[in-house]
Amino acid sequence: MTERMLVGLGERSYQIWIGENTFPAIGSALDEVNFPNKVAIVTNPSIGELYCDQLIDALVLSGRQVSVIQVPDGEEYKTVATLESIYDVLIDRKFDRYCGLIALGGGVIGDITGFAAATFLRGIPFVQVPTSLLAQVDSSIGGKTGVNHPQGKNLIGAFYQPQHVHIDVNVLATLPQREYASGLAEVIKYGIISDREFFRWLEEHRDRLADRSAEALVHAVMRSCQIKANVVENDEKEQGLRILLNLGHTFGHAVETLAGYGVIKHGEAVSIGMVMAARTALRLDLCSIEDVDRIVALLTYFDLPVTPPDFSVADYLGVMQRDKKVKDGAVRLVLNHGIGSAELHQVKDLEKYLDELLT
Ligand code: NAD
Ligand code: GLY
C-alpha cells in the first residue's frame, strides 16, 4: 500500500507518497497535480543505471515525453558549473515554461535539480524522487534547493517547493552501507527532537532497520516525513522552529570541517554532534544520563560514530563561531530536552563544556 501525506503550505502544498514499488504509480501522482507532459529526469550515472528505465517506463505509460539529463555523481559537482550544464541541455532541447523536471537521486541531485527548476525561465515545476535515505527523510521535503560555492556549502540557493515527492523504499536496497547509516542518523534525530515514542519504536525495531526491512522502512520514513512536514508547515523559511532540525549540526559541522570534507559523512558527523549535544544537555540538567545512554546505544547499534575526533578546543570553537546560528557573537546550539523535544540555547562557557566533551 502506498501511504500519502500532505505538506500543507497553502498554494505551495504538495503530497508525499511513500511505499514499496511505487514507481509504476508516478504517472497518476503527476496527473493529480497536472504536471507537464514534457519532462526531463535529472540523475547521475550510478542511479540512472539502476532506476532510470523503470521511471521512464512509468512516465511514458502515462503519456509523457521523457528525456534524461545526467550530471556527475558527487558533492563536488553540486556547483554552478553543473547547474549551467543543465540549463544548456534544457535550452538545446527547447524546454519552455510548460515543461517539468524530475530529480532522481540523493540530496545532491535533489538540491541542484530543485534550484535549476527554481531559476530556469523564472521557475518551472519539479518533482522529487529521492533515492538515498537522507533524501527520503530530509532533503526532498521542505523546498531548500541550491548549490555549493568554493567558499562554503549551499551558499547559493532558493526556497522552492516541489509539486510532489515520490518515495519508493525498495531503492534503498542498493544504497551503500555508510550512506544508509548516515540517513538513519537523521531518522534518529527526528525521534530525539520531537517524538519519544518514535525513538522507542526505533530501538524496538533496530534489527529490522539494520536489515533494511521494507515494512519497517515505510514506517520509519513516513514518521520522519511527518515530523519534517510539520516543522516546514510551521516555519517554511527557517525563522524559528525549523532551526531545531539542526540538532547535532553545529558540533557536526565542526567535525566535518576539521576532519576535511568527505572524510566523515554528513550523517556520521551529525551522529557525533548529537552525542555532543546530549552530553552538553546533561551538564545543563536538560537531559538524564539514561537518555544520553539510549541515544549513544542506538547510534552505536547502526555503527555510527559517537566520539569526536581529536582536535583542540580552540579548533572546534573556531569553526563553531562561524556557524550561521551565531547571534551577537554568541554560539547558539540546539539541545535536546531528554528524548522527544529540543530547543535553541545560547550556551555560555562553551569552552568549558567542549573541554569536557573532548577529554
Ligand atoms: P548524495 O546525493 O551524494 O548520495 C550519496 C551517494 O549515494 C551518491 O554517490 C549517490 O549516487 C548514491 N545513491 C543515492 N541513492 C542510491 C541508491 N538508491 N542506490 C545506490 N546508490 C545511491 O548524498 P545524500 O546524503 O543523499 O545528500 C547529501 C546532500 O543533501 C548534501 O549536498 C546536502 O547539502 C543536501 N541536503 C539538503 C537538505 C535540504 O533540505 N535540501 C537537507 C539535508 C541535506
Ligand atoms: N535539513 C534542514 C532543513 O531542511 O531545514
Side-chain angles (χ1 to χ4, degrees):
M1 202 182 82
T2 302
E3 308 281 349
R4 295 179 181 212
M5 93 182 51
L6 184 76
V7 184
L9 289 169
E11 61 185 13
R12 294 182 306 291
S13 297
Y14 50 96
Q15 287 203 1
I16 308 173
W17 289 19
I18 303 165
E20 296 180 52
N21 192 25
T22 61
F23 279 15
I26 193 162
S28 330
L30 298 194
D31 290 346
E32 280 190 20
V33 294
N34 291 320
F35 200 74
N37 277 327
K38 181 169 169 176
V39 298
I41 298 172
V42 181
T43 191
N44 70 36
S46 5
I47 299 164
E49 163 132 16
L50 289 164
Y51 300 112
C52 223
D53 284 350
Q54 276 185 52
L55 196 61
I56 293 173
D57 287 351
L59 290 165
V60 168
L61 265 178
S62 72
R64 288 189 165 76
Q65 186 193 333
V66 190
S67 64
V68 177
I69 302 175
Q70 290 223 358
V71 299
D73 189 359
E75 183 75 37
E76 65 273 35
Y77 296 104
K78 192 177 151 183
T79 58
V80 171
T82 304
L83 191 64
E84 259 183 30
S85 74
I86 297 175
Y87 298 142
D88 289 347
V89 179
L90 294 174
I91 293 165
D92 271 0
R93 295 185 192 162
K94 302 195 168 27
F95 269 62
D96 58 27
R97 282 196 169 152
Y98 306 96
C99 300
L101 299 185
I102 298 179
L104 173 67
V108 168
I109 292 288
D111 280 13
I112 199 165
T113 306
F115 192 52
T119 46
F120 185 67
L121 302 177
R122 299 200 177 84
I124 60 172
F126 88 110
V127 160
Q128 293 272 16
V129 184
T131 61
S132 69
L133 183 55
L134 178 136
Q136 295 191 346
V137 299
D138 187 358
S139 61
S140 65
I141 306 153
K144 282 190 182 174
T145 71
V147 294
N148 300 330
H149 183 274
Q151 300 289 326
K153 278 184 74 177
N154 299 323
L155 291 187
I156 301 157
F159 284 100
Y160 191 67
Q161 302 293 342
Q163 294 223 334
H164 173 69
V165 179
H166 205 79
I167 300 179
D168 186 341
V169 298
N170 286 356
V171 302
L172 299 176
T174 55
L175 191 65
Q177 182 55 32
R178 274 181 77 191
E179 301 292 349
Y180 180 68
S182 288
L184 284 173
E186 301 285 351
V187 172
I188 293 167
K189 178 191 78 181
Y190 288 120
I192 301 173
I193 62 170
S194 78
D195 189 344
R196 191 173 177 87
E197 175 53 30
F198 180 47
F199 189 93
R200 199 196 56 73
W201 183 92
L202 292 170
E203 291 175 319
E204 201 174 307
H205 296 271
R206 59 187 196 169
D207 46 349
R208 292 169 73 215
L209 288 166
D211 289 344
R212 306 192 195 192
S213 142
E215 196 193 347
L217 276 168
V218 169
H219 179 79
V221 172
M222 196 173 67
R223 187 65 197 122
S224 301
C225 289
Q226 274 166 348
I227 295 170
K228 172 118 194 206
N230 187 263
V231 169
V232 169
E233 283 169 355
N234 286 290
D235 181 19
E236 184 182 5
K237 300 268 169 80
E238 196 166 295
Q239 302 300 305
L241 183 68
R242 192 163 176 170
I243 287 175
L244 301 185
L245 297 174
N246 283 308
L247 175 73
H249 284 58
T250 308
F251 288 122
H253 182 231
V255 167
E256 259 181 305
T257 307
L258 294 171
Y261 278 111
V263 175
I264 296 186
K265 293 201 176 293
H266 177 70
E268 294 169 340
V270 168
S271 171
I272 294 169
M274 289 193 297
V275 172
M276 293 173 84
R279 294 205 161 121
T280 307
L282 172 69
R283 289 286 281 103
L284 292 168
D285 285 332
L286 300 169
C287 182
S288 67
I289 184 69
E290 290 77 19
D291 281 352
V292 175
D293 289 345
R294 283 174 71 184
I295 292 168
V296 172
L298 190 55
L299 293 165
T300 309
Y301 182 82
F302 295 119
D303 285 334
L304 282 159
V306 290
T307 310
D310 195 12
F311 294 98
S312 69
V313 170
D315 286 339
Y316 274 93
L317 264 183
V319 181
M320 291 173 77
Q321 274 157 350
R322 293 197 298 272
D323 185 78
K324 63 178 187 286
K325 290 184 291 304
V326 167
K327 194 175 176 194
D328 302 328
V331 175
R332 296 185 305 160
L333 293 173
V334 178
L335 297 177
N336 53 304
H337 292 195
I339 293 172
S341 82
E343 267 178 34
L344 189 64
H345 290 264
Q346 185 167 321
V347 180
K348 295 195 195 101
D349 303 328
L350 181 61
E351 201 166 346
K352 182 180 84 190
Y353 295 122
L354 272 171
D355 201 31
E356 288 175 21
L357 293 172
L358 298 174
T359 48

